Amino acid sequence: MSASALPSSGPAAQGVDASGVHAFLDALETAPGIEPHSLMIMRHGRLVASGWWAPYTPGRPQLLYSLSKSFTGTAAALAEAEGLLDFDAPVIAYFPEFEADITDPRSRAMRVRHVASMASGHEHETVDEAFGTDPAEPVRGFLLQPPERDPGTVFAYNQPTTYTLGAIVQRASGQSLSAYLRPRLLDPLGVGEVFWRRDRTGRELGFSGLHATTDAVARLGQLYLRDGVWNGERLLPEGWAARASHPHTPTAGAMGETDREDWHQGYGHQFWLSRHGYRGDGAYGQFCLVLPEHDAVIATTAATERMQEMLDLVWKHLLPAFGPAPLSGREAADASLRERLDRLALPAVEGSPEPPGGEADWAAGQFTASGGGPVRTAALARDADGWTLTLTGDGDRLGLRFGGDGWTVAEEPLPTAVSGGWSDAGTLSVDVLFLETPHRLALTCSRAGRTLTARWCTEPLHGGRLTSLRAPRASG
């Protein structure tokens, strides 16, 4: 957890109508395809509402996916202020060993500010080409992809741009991103442990892979809302928040989708512009919304592919709840909201905790998956304490205990919550939440034919084995 709690207040004292927060929670919990995991709302510098849907908890780090980019952009701002990098310098200047290889004039003309704003001149995502061309040095692989347009003239959501920005910071500082940020940002903000996925070069990815708490996301948003000042101390260069949230390149139509209006407002330095304010965001609903016009910050984690719909619910329900003045006589409403936030929970799998026909046909069951997928086989076993389903696949082996009502939480071999039940005498359903990620695996074992199906509700984007779905803590 963080070194000190954020200052808090009842919603009404900060002009926030609790009924609007209730309406937002109602909408989140009834929207098909949205699984909320956490919510924090700050207004006028005070935490006015926060909740975690059990079995998710406040102190657990979450995989932020591309919300990591906003932390990388922040590191670049700090490095610029210390004279370690120049936003107007050519990218190639930081990698002189590639001089002879990088001959394309547009690649050579690419500047730090271009990769910071995803305006490298490429018209499409180049992550597969960059990492495929040179897995041992993805920056070189990226610079070997000739841009179709002059740098600075076109936006493309392009992971290697942020990777390169993060690589420049790490090379110029001689430290990993998290180590560089620790004394300059994380410690002053009161952010506890963070974990960042590395590639084969040993670098932290920059564009993704950061695991941090929702509290850390809220603190970053509040720092930007206050133009880089935290508790009276300037942590970020004056004016950086405005630079980061200025639309350096237009994005309308660049994402190839017509129904994602909040992705058409422009892109700054590792922050998106929104219809309201600006934001860092990561796949599946990891959001840091900074709303200067409302003096508010909203931090969320979730599991959804309907990110635009989730933002629409914020605009529809939460924005109208932000009033211009404190509200009086709302003590009961505030208390009711607090009680609701304290008991948020994800529903467990429906079904009987024991097989309706008795355990004889299930107690030593073996099940085989058809086709591809993350699981090849599953073995079910019964002991005095309940059931264990052991999954194997791709060199992986993962034992999952479940039984009774609700979720069974385990920390080893990795943080999971498991719920299972029999819908009938022939069908067992088991859901697995990988608690340091947005990911849920839905498993169905059928007694007839001893078959298994395994389906991701949200697909992990970094690949790897089931047992890698956790924060990348140092071993030993």
Side-chain angles (χ1 to χ4, degrees), residues 55 387 400-410 416-420 433 435:
W387 295 88
L400 304 167
R401 295 192 65 84
F402 67 95
D405 297 328
W407 297 92
T408 299
V409 176
T416 56
V418 185
S419 176
L433 299 174
L435 290 174

Side-chain angles (χ1 to χ4, degrees), residues 102-188:
I102 310 305
T103 58
D104 181 83
R106 287 173 170 156
S107 292
R108 296 182 65 86
M110 195 186 303
R111 300 186 183 278
V112 174
R113 57 184 163 84
H114 296 141
V115 295
S117 56
M118 291 209 184
S120 62
H122 295 94
E123 295 180 333
H124 64 283
E125 171 71 82
T126 65
V127 66
D128 291 339
E129 295 97 321
F131 280 77
T133 297
D134 195 340
E137 181 40 275
V139 172
R140 180 179 176 274
F142 169 57
L143 293 174
L144 286 171
Q145 312 307 312
E148 294 86 357
R149 305 268 291 277
D150 289 341
T153 63
V154 63
F155 171 88
Y157 193 72
N158 193 6
Q159 315 283 3
T161 59
T162 311
Y163 178 88
T164 299
L165 182 66
I168 292 170
V169 173
Q170 290 174 89
R171 174 168 284 203
S173 69
Q175 297 178 282
S176 68
L177 289 168
S178 57
Y180 181 70
L181 287 172
R182 174 55 60 190
R184 296 164 175 83
L185 180 81
L186 303 178
D187 281 345

